Amino acid sequence: MAAQCDRWGLPLLVEDGVLAVSELVANAVVHGRSAVRLTLSLTGDVVEVAVGDSSPRPPVVRPVRLSLDEDIDQAVALSRDQLDEPGAQWLIGEAGSITAGRGMLIVDAIADEWGISSRAVGKDVWFRLRTPTGADRVCRCPGSAATTPGGLPLRV
């Protein structure tokens, strides 16, 4: 993400882009449990990033949790069959706070928009960042598709 933003002349998108990509890739690895595909697209004044995996299950945007006591109470109240998937565990940090489950909140806060596109097998979770300059840039990558995973047309 960082290298491609630099190649496109968009260094101001690196920090937010890398953080959002790391959250989506972590979700794909932990929950998708399959190979992960990362797609970066630039069209017009939008950078779109998509992370694909083989799981059809959409990501979950969990509510904001600010109270350590409530985090612990929620974790204790959950039975194994109420967790996201078999074998899933809440990660409890040193201060007693649940340290997992905030990835999509981060993506939602960073991205100008985000969504999910179903594929024949699995899904793409994508987000878009507007370029800071508003310049009309187009991805002219060899072999690029006619549209981005999120459905934006690529003008090649």
Side-chain angles (χ1 to χ4, degrees):
M1 176 73 194
Q4 190 60 51
C5 281
D6 284 340
R7 280 191 287 274
W8 284 334
L10 299 168
L12 294 176
L13 294 184
V14 170
E15 190 173 311
D16 285 347
V18 167
L19 179 56
V21 165
S22 70
E23 295 297 337
L24 292 185
V25 169
N27 280 353
V29 168
V30 171
H31 302 292
R33 296 182 179 163
S34 66
V36 176
R37 185 182 70 226
L38 175 65
T39 305
L40 303 165
S41 306
L42 174 62
T43 184
D45 62 352
V46 175
V47 171
E48 183 181 282
V49 179
V51 176
D53 63 49
S54 297
S55 171
R57 188 172 150 226
V60 176
V61 181
R62 302 193 189 283
V64 175
R65 298 183 311 263
L66 301 175
S67 167
L68 298 180
D69 291 335
E70 288 177 22
D71 280 358
I72 293 170
D73 290 344
Q74 286 178 9
V76 170
L78 290 174
S79 67
R80 202 159 217 12
D81 60 312
Q82 290 174 308
L83 293 172
D84 288 346
E85 54 194 56
Q89 297 180 13
W90 290 82
L91 303 176
I92 309 296
E94 292 178 17
S97 173
I98 295 173
T99 60
R102 292 178 174 89
M104 291 310 298
L105 284 173
I106 292 170
V107 172
D108 187 56
I110 289 172
D112 291 303
E113 59 184 313
W114 68 273
I116 306 156
S117 298
S118 295
R119 293 187 291 140
V121 176
K123 66 181 173 305
D124 285 307
V125 180
W126 53 266
F127 69 90
R128 295 178 182 145
L129 299 172
R130 298 222 183 282
T131 61
T133 61
D136 188 31
R137 301 167 197 256
V138 179
C139 178
R140 299 186 189 282
C141 308
S144 63
T147 61
T148 66
L152 290 177
L154 282 176
R155 298 184 314 265
V156 179

